[in-house]
Amino acid sequence: MNWWNISVFYIIPIVSVVFFFFWKRKYLWMAPLISTAISVVISLLAMPSILSDAEHRNMFFGISIMLHILIAVVLTVIAYAASRFLAKK
């Protein structure tokens, strides 16, 4: 795996969810949106050839971004469950 895969699918979603979890939990719903926007910007800066033809563009927006959103949403749900658990204690 290269640095792009690691940053887009691991580091950015985890850091955004952890940031909103510890900063303000009521804004935790923004974590998937912010991490997706950051991932798109980093991807376009790192590989501008993504937009060169329809095949690469469809793969990027159809598969990579959707997978990133899924990972970010799952992490956000886990963070919401953890915050509910901590609130009950």
Side-chain angles (χ1 to χ4, degrees):
M1 289 179 51
N2 58 15
W3 70 270
W4 179 80
N5 285 331
I6 293 170
S7 66
V8 168
F9 295 118
Y10 296 112
I11 296 172
I12 294 172
I14 291 171
V15 168
S16 67
V17 169
V18 168
F19 173 76
F20 283 107
F21 183 80
F22 288 114
W23 182 53
K24 289 204 178 203
R25 290 187 186 141
K26 71 178 186 177
Y27 296 127
L28 195 56
W29 62 271
M30 290 175 48
L33 302 174
I34 300 294
S35 67
T36 302
I38 293 170
S39 295
V40 168
V41 169
I42 287 176
S43 299
L44 292 178
L45 290 175
M47 297 178 289
S49 64
I50 292 173
L51 301 177
S52 65
D53 61 1
E55 181 181 358
H56 290 110
R57 191 172 36 249
N58 287 338
M59 233 169 44
F60 175 66
F61 288 111
I63 298 171
S64 297
I65 294 300
M66 293 304 143
L67 185 60
H68 173 83
I69 292 172
L70 176 69
I71 291 168
V73 167
V74 167
L75 290 173
T76 303
V77 168
I78 292 169
Y80 267 123
S83 68
R84 294 276 180 159
F85 179 74
L86 291 174
K88 287 185 179 181
K89 277 191 164 188

mmCIF file of all heavy atoms in Angstrom, residues 8-10 12-14 16-17 31-33 35-37 39 60-79:
data_model
loop_
_atom_site.group_PDB
_atom_site.id
_atom_site.type_symbol
_atom_site.label_atom_id
_atom_site.label_comp_id
_atom_site.label_asym_id
_atom_site.label_seq_id
_atom_site.Cartn_x
_atom_site.Cartn_y
_atom_site.Cartn_z
ATOM 1 N N VAL A 8 -5.834 8.122 2.847
ATOM 2 C CA VAL A 8 -7.251 8.279 2.511
ATOM 3 C C VAL A 8 -8.139 7.296 3.255
ATOM 4 O O VAL A 8 -9.235 7.655 3.696
ATOM 5 C CB VAL A 8 -7.454 8.160 0.979
ATOM 6 C CG1 VAL A 8 -8.912 8.024 0.614
ATOM 7 C CG2 VAL A 8 -6.859 9.366 0.279
ATOM 8 N N PHE A 9 -7.698 6.073 3.422
ATOM 9 C CA PHE A 9 -8.576 5.063 4.015
ATOM 10 C C PHE A 9 -8.334 4.806 5.497
ATOM 11 O O PHE A 9 -9.153 4.163 6.147
ATOM 12 C CB PHE A 9 -8.471 3.757 3.240
ATOM 13 C CG PHE A 9 -8.973 3.868 1.832
ATOM 14 C CD1 PHE A 9 -8.128 3.657 0.770
ATOM 15 C CD2 PHE A 9 -10.284 4.212 1.574
ATOM 16 C CE1 PHE A 9 -8.577 3.770 -0.532
ATOM 17 C CE2 PHE A 9 -10.749 4.328 0.284
ATOM 18 C CZ PHE A 9 -9.892 4.106 -0.772
ATOM 19 N N TYR A 10 -7.244 5.285 6.059
ATOM 20 C CA TYR A 10 -6.975 5.055 7.478
ATOM 21 C C TYR A 10 -6.788 6.347 8.266
ATOM 22 O O TYR A 10 -7.533 6.615 9.200
ATOM 23 C CB TYR A 10 -5.720 4.170 7.658
ATOM 24 C CG TYR A 10 -5.867 2.791 7.100
ATOM 25 C CD1 TYR A 10 -5.140 2.396 5.991
ATOM 26 C CD2 TYR A 10 -6.745 1.883 7.674
ATOM 27 C CE1 TYR A 10 -5.285 1.127 5.465
ATOM 28 C CE2 TYR A 10 -6.888 0.607 7.153
ATOM 29 C CZ TYR A 10 -6.155 0.244 6.048
ATOM 30 O OH TYR A 10 -6.296 -1.007 5.532
ATOM 31 N N ILE A 12 -6.901 9.800 7.592
ATOM 32 C CA ILE A 12 -7.837 10.928 7.536
ATOM 33 C C ILE A 12 -9.167 10.612 8.230
ATOM 34 O O ILE A 12 -9.633 11.424 9.037
ATOM 35 C CB ILE A 12 -8.039 11.399 6.081
ATOM 36 C CG1 ILE A 12 -6.733 11.976 5.549
ATOM 37 C CG2 ILE A 12 -9.153 12.440 5.994
ATOM 38 C CD1 ILE A 12 -6.745 12.293 4.079
ATOM 39 N N PRO A 13 -9.810 9.467 7.985
ATOM 40 C CA PRO A 13 -11.065 9.206 8.708
ATOM 41 C C PRO A 13 -10.876 9.076 10.220
ATOM 42 O O PRO A 13 -11.682 9.600 10.991
ATOM 43 C CB PRO A 13 -11.576 7.891 8.119
ATOM 44 C CG PRO A 13 -10.827 7.661 6.895
ATOM 45 C CD PRO A 13 -9.563 8.424 6.981
ATOM 46 N N ILE A 14 -9.815 8.409 10.623
ATOM 47 C CA ILE A 14 -9.588 8.227 12.058
ATOM 48 C C ILE A 14 -9.295 9.554 12.743
ATOM 49 O O ILE A 14 -9.863 9.862 13.795
ATOM 50 C CB ILE A 14 -8.450 7.210 12.300
ATOM 51 C CG1 ILE A 14 -8.913 5.818 11.891
ATOM 52 C CG2 ILE A 14 -8.007 7.221 13.751
ATOM 53 C CD1 ILE A 14 -7.813 4.772 11.887
ATOM 54 N N SER A 16 -10.117 12.591 11.772
ATOM 55 C CA SER A 16 -11.289 13.476 11.800
ATOM 56 C C SER A 16 -12.303 13.043 12.856
ATOM 57 O O SER A 16 -12.857 13.889 13.571
ATOM 58 C CB SER A 16 -11.941 13.558 10.420
ATOM 59 O OG SER A 16 -12.496 12.327 10.052
ATOM 60 N N VAL A 17 -12.543 11.752 12.980
ATOM 61 C CA VAL A 17 -13.491 11.280 13.988
ATOM 62 C C VAL A 17 -12.950 11.514 15.395
ATOM 63 O O VAL A 17 -13.674 11.991 16.280
ATOM 64 C CB VAL A 17 -13.835 9.786 13.766
ATOM 65 C CG1 VAL A 17 -14.604 9.210 14.936
ATOM 66 C CG2 VAL A 17 -14.634 9.614 12.492
ATOM 67 N N ALA A 31 -17.767 14.765 10.838
ATOM 68 C CA ALA A 31 -16.506 14.053 10.601
ATOM 69 C C ALA A 31 -16.466 13.356 9.233
ATOM 70 O O ALA A 31 -15.468 13.498 8.518
ATOM 71 C CB ALA A 31 -16.233 13.071 11.720
ATOM 72 N N PRO A 32 -17.496 12.618 8.820
ATOM 73 C CA PRO A 32 -17.423 12.008 7.481
ATOM 74 C C PRO A 32 -17.374 13.040 6.358
ATOM 75 O O PRO A 32 -16.683 12.840 5.358
ATOM 76 C CB PRO A 32 -18.702 11.168 7.381
ATOM 77 C CG PRO A 32 -19.120 10.932 8.768
ATOM 78 C CD PRO A 32 -18.664 12.117 9.549
ATOM 79 N N LEU A 33 -18.076 14.147 6.525
ATOM 80 C CA LEU A 33 -18.075 15.177 5.484
ATOM 81 C C LEU A 33 -16.708 15.843 5.352
ATOM 82 O O LEU A 33 -16.187 16.016 4.251
ATOM 83 C CB LEU A 33 -19.141 16.229 5.796
ATOM 84 C CG LEU A 33 -20.574 15.736 5.930
ATOM 85 C CD1 LEU A 33 -21.478 16.857 6.390
ATOM 86 C CD2 LEU A 33 -21.046 15.153 4.625
ATOM 87 N N SER A 35 -13.766 14.682 6.426
ATOM 88 C CA SER A 35 -12.722 13.747 5.989
ATOM 89 C C SER A 35 -12.849 13.420 4.504
ATOM 90 O O SER A 35 -11.839 13.254 3.819
ATOM 91 C CB SER A 35 -12.753 12.472 6.825
ATOM 92 O OG SER A 35 -13.920 11.743 6.585
ATOM 93 N N THR A 36 -14.071 13.369 3.983
ATOM 94 C CA THR A 36 -14.253 13.121 2.559
ATOM 95 C C THR A 36 -13.736 14.295 1.738
ATOM 96 O O THR A 36 -13.067 14.103 0.723
ATOM 97 C CB THR A 36 -15.729 12.850 2.246
ATOM 98 O OG1 THR A 36 -16.167 11.726 3.011
ATOM 99 C CG2 THR A 36 -15.930 12.566 0.775
ATOM 100 N N ALA A 37 -14.030 15.499 2.179
ATOM 101 C CA ALA A 37 -13.547 16.682 1.462
ATOM 102 C C ALA A 37 -12.026 16.737 1.459
ATOM 103 O O ALA A 37 -11.399 17.007 0.426
ATOM 104 C CB ALA A 37 -14.127 17.943 2.089
ATOM 105 N N SER A 39 -9.993 14.202 1.771
ATOM 106 C CA SER A 39 -9.505 13.094 0.942
ATOM 107 C C SER A 39 -9.593 13.415 -0.544
ATOM 108 O O SER A 39 -8.688 13.072 -1.307
ATOM 109 C CB SER A 39 -10.298 11.827 1.232
ATOM 110 O OG SER A 39 -10.072 11.410 2.537
ATOM 111 N N PHE A 60 -12.594 6.415 -9.227
ATOM 112 C CA PHE A 60 -12.290 7.236 -8.062
ATOM 113 C C PHE A 60 -13.557 7.649 -7.330
ATOM 114 O O PHE A 60 -13.703 7.410 -6.136
ATOM 115 C CB PHE A 60 -11.496 8.481 -8.479
ATOM 116 C CG PHE A 60 -11.250 9.436 -7.359
ATOM 117 C CD1 PHE A 60 -10.447 9.078 -6.297
ATOM 118 C CD2 PHE A 60 -11.831 10.683 -7.362
ATOM 119 C CE1 PHE A 60 -10.213 9.951 -5.252
ATOM 120 C CE2 PHE A 60 -11.605 11.567 -6.331
ATOM 121 C CZ PHE A 60 -10.796 11.202 -5.275
ATOM 122 N N PHE A 61 -14.495 8.266 -8.038
ATOM 123 C CA PHE A 61 -15.708 8.750 -7.386
ATOM 124 C C PHE A 61 -16.697 7.638 -7.088
ATOM 125 O O PHE A 61 -17.489 7.737 -6.159
ATOM 126 C CB PHE A 61 -16.376 9.840 -8.226
ATOM 127 C CG PHE A 61 -15.627 11.133 -8.222
ATOM 128 C CD1 PHE A 61 -14.987 11.586 -9.354
ATOM 129 C CD2 PHE A 61 -15.541 11.885 -7.067
ATOM 130 C CE1 PHE A 61 -14.286 12.779 -9.342
ATOM 131 C CE2 PHE A 61 -14.836 13.075 -7.042
ATOM 132 C CZ PHE A 61 -14.211 13.528 -8.184
ATOM 133 N N GLY A 62 -16.680 6.576 -7.846
ATOM 134 C CA GLY A 62 -17.633 5.493 -7.639
ATOM 135 C C GLY A 62 -17.210 4.472 -6.609
ATOM 136 O O GLY A 62 -18.045 3.925 -5.890
ATOM 137 N N ILE A 63 -15.917 4.229 -6.512
ATOM 138 C CA ILE A 63 -15.449 3.190 -5.601
ATOM 139 C C ILE A 63 -14.673 3.783 -4.431
ATOM 140 O O ILE A 63 -15.020 3.556 -3.268
ATOM 141 C CB ILE A 63 -14.587 2.148 -6.345
ATOM 142 C CG1 ILE A 63 -15.421 1.445 -7.415
ATOM 143 C CG2 ILE A 63 -14.012 1.135 -5.384
ATOM 144 C CD1 ILE A 63 -14.621 0.558 -8.341
ATOM 145 N N SER A 64 -13.627 4.530 -4.720
ATOM 146 C CA SER A 64 -12.741 5.015 -3.657
ATOM 147 C C SER A 64 -13.441 5.963 -2.692
ATOM 148 O O SER A 64 -13.329 5.813 -1.471
ATOM 149 C CB SER A 64 -11.528 5.723 -4.258
ATOM 150 O OG SER A 64 -10.771 4.829 -5.014
ATOM 151 N N ILE A 65 -14.154 6.922 -3.216
ATOM 152 C CA ILE A 65 -14.824 7.885 -2.346
ATOM 153 C C ILE A 65 -15.964 7.222 -1.583
ATOM 154 O O ILE A 65 -16.156 7.495 -0.387
ATOM 155 C CB ILE A 65 -15.320 9.102 -3.157
ATOM 156 C CG1 ILE A 65 -14.126 9.862 -3.710
ATOM 157 C CG2 ILE A 65 -16.196 10.013 -2.322
ATOM 158 C CD1 ILE A 65 -13.175 10.387 -2.647
ATOM 159 N N MET A 66 -16.703 6.343 -2.223
ATOM 160 C CA MET A 66 -17.783 5.651 -1.514
ATOM 161 C C MET A 66 -17.239 4.761 -0.402
ATOM 162 O O MET A 66 -17.818 4.685 0.681
ATOM 163 C CB MET A 66 -18.625 4.819 -2.488
ATOM 164 C CG MET A 66 -19.404 5.640 -3.465
ATOM 165 S SD MET A 66 -20.466 6.808 -2.616
ATOM 166 C CE MET A 66 -20.348 8.184 -3.705
ATOM 167 N N LEU A 67 -16.122 4.110 -0.653
ATOM 168 C CA LEU A 67 -15.487 3.296 0.387
ATOM 169 C C LEU A 67 -14.987 4.169 1.529
ATOM 170 O O LEU A 67 -15.142 3.821 2.702
ATOM 171 C CB LEU A 67 -14.341 2.477 -0.206
ATOM 172 C CG LEU A 67 -13.654 1.486 0.706
ATOM 173 C CD1 LEU A 67 -14.650 0.450 1.211
ATOM 174 C CD2 LEU A 67 -12.522 0.808 -0.023
ATOM 175 N N HIS A 68 -14.433 5.320 1.194
ATOM 176 C CA HIS A 68 -13.982 6.253 2.229
ATOM 177 C C HIS A 68 -15.158 6.734 3.082
ATOM 178 O O HIS A 68 -15.060 6.780 4.306
ATOM 179 C CB HIS A 68 -13.273 7.449 1.603
ATOM 180 C CG HIS A 68 -12.947 8.504 2.592
ATOM 181 N ND1 HIS A 68 -11.833 8.454 3.387
ATOM 182 C CD2 HIS A 68 -13.621 9.608 2.968
ATOM 183 C CE1 HIS A 68 -11.831 9.494 4.193
ATOM 184 N NE2 HIS A 68 -12.905 10.220 3.951
ATOM 185 N N ILE A 69 -16.261 7.094 2.441
ATOM 186 C CA ILE A 69 -17.448 7.540 3.189
ATOM 187 C C ILE A 69 -17.952 6.434 4.097
ATOM 188 O O ILE A 69 -18.317 6.681 5.253
ATOM 189 C CB ILE A 69 -18.548 8.027 2.221
ATOM 190 C CG1 ILE A 69 -18.097 9.318 1.543
ATOM 191 C CG2 ILE A 69 -19.869 8.227 2.938
ATOM 192 C CD1 ILE A 69 -19.013 9.782 0.440
ATOM 193 N N LEU A 70 -17.969 5.205 3.597
ATOM 194 C CA LEU A 70 -18.418 4.075 4.413
ATOM 195 C C LEU A 70 -17.526 3.900 5.637
ATOM 196 O O LEU A 70 -18.025 3.729 6.758
ATOM 197 C CB LEU A 70 -18.428 2.793 3.578
ATOM 198 C CG LEU A 70 -18.795 1.518 4.324
ATOM 199 C CD1 LEU A 70 -20.265 1.551 4.712
ATOM 200 C CD2 LEU A 70 -18.485 0.309 3.492
ATOM 201 N N ILE A 71 -16.222 3.967 5.461
ATOM 202 C CA ILE A 71 -15.297 3.833 6.582
ATOM 203 C C ILE A 71 -15.508 4.958 7.587
ATOM 204 O O ILE A 71 -15.564 4.732 8.802
ATOM 205 C CB ILE A 71 -13.840 3.807 6.081
ATOM 206 C CG1 ILE A 71 -13.580 2.520 5.312
ATOM 207 C CG2 ILE A 71 -12.843 3.968 7.219
ATOM 208 C CD1 ILE A 71 -12.279 2.508 4.536
ATOM 209 N N ALA A 72 -15.654 6.186 7.095
ATOM 210 C CA ALA A 72 -15.843 7.336 7.987
ATOM 211 C C ALA A 72 -17.164 7.250 8.746
ATOM 212 O O ALA A 72 -17.222 7.573 9.937
ATOM 213 C CB ALA A 72 -15.766 8.632 7.196
ATOM 214 N N VAL A 73 -18.215 6.803 8.093
ATOM 215 C CA VAL A 73 -19.514 6.681 8.763
ATOM 216 C C VAL A 73 -19.472 5.581 9.827
ATOM 217 O O VAL A 73 -20.009 5.759 10.927
ATOM 218 C CB VAL A 73 -20.644 6.434 7.737
ATOM 219 C CG1 VAL A 73 -21.927 5.993 8.404
ATOM 220 C CG2 VAL A 73 -20.878 7.693 6.906
ATOM 221 N N VAL A 74 -18.834 4.464 9.523
ATOM 222 C CA VAL A 74 -18.723 3.385 10.511
ATOM 223 C C VAL A 74 -17.932 3.858 11.729
ATOM 224 O O VAL A 74 -18.327 3.602 12.880
ATOM 225 C CB VAL A 74 -18.092 2.123 9.877
ATOM 226 C CG1 VAL A 74 -17.678 1.125 10.937
ATOM 227 C CG2 VAL A 74 -19.064 1.489 8.898
ATOM 228 N N LEU A 75 -16.847 4.560 11.504
ATOM 229 C CA LEU A 75 -16.075 5.095 12.628
ATOM 230 C C LEU A 75 -16.872 6.116 13.430
ATOM 231 O O LEU A 75 -16.773 6.170 14.660
ATOM 232 C CB LEU A 75 -14.781 5.730 12.127
ATOM 233 C CG LEU A 75 -13.719 4.772 11.600
ATOM 234 C CD1 LEU A 75 -12.569 5.548 10.981
ATOM 235 C CD2 LEU A 75 -13.228 3.855 12.694
ATOM 236 N N THR A 76 -17.692 6.906 12.743
ATOM 237 C CA THR A 76 -18.529 7.888 13.432
ATOM 238 C C THR A 76 -19.590 7.200 14.283
ATOM 239 O O THR A 76 -19.862 7.626 15.413
ATOM 240 C CB THR A 76 -19.186 8.835 12.419
ATOM 241 O OG1 THR A 76 -18.158 9.449 11.641
ATOM 242 C CG2 THR A 76 -20.002 9.900 13.100
ATOM 243 N N VAL A 77 -20.186 6.149 13.779
ATOM 244 C CA VAL A 77 -21.179 5.397 14.553
ATOM 245 C C VAL A 77 -20.531 4.774 15.783
ATOM 246 O O VAL A 77 -21.115 4.793 16.878
ATOM 247 C CB VAL A 77 -21.858 4.325 13.665
ATOM 248 C CG1 VAL A 77 -22.660 3.342 14.486
ATOM 249 C CG2 VAL A 77 -22.721 4.989 12.610
ATOM 250 N N ILE A 78 -19.333 4.260 15.625
ATOM 251 C CA ILE A 78 -18.616 3.703 16.775
ATOM 252 C C ILE A 78 -18.332 4.800 17.801
ATOM 253 O O ILE A 78 -18.478 4.595 19.010
ATOM 254 C CB ILE A 78 -17.322 2.997 16.327
ATOM 255 C CG1 ILE A 78 -17.660 1.741 15.532
ATOM 256 C CG2 ILE A 78 -16.419 2.673 17.496
ATOM 257 C CD1 ILE A 78 -16.478 1.110 14.827
ATOM 258 N N ALA A 79 -17.959 5.980 17.327
ATOM 259 C CA ALA A 79 -17.698 7.097 18.245
ATOM 260 C C ALA A 79 -18.980 7.545 18.945
ATOM 261 O O ALA A 79 -18.957 7.879 20.135
ATOM 262 C CB ALA A 79 -17.082 8.262 17.487
#
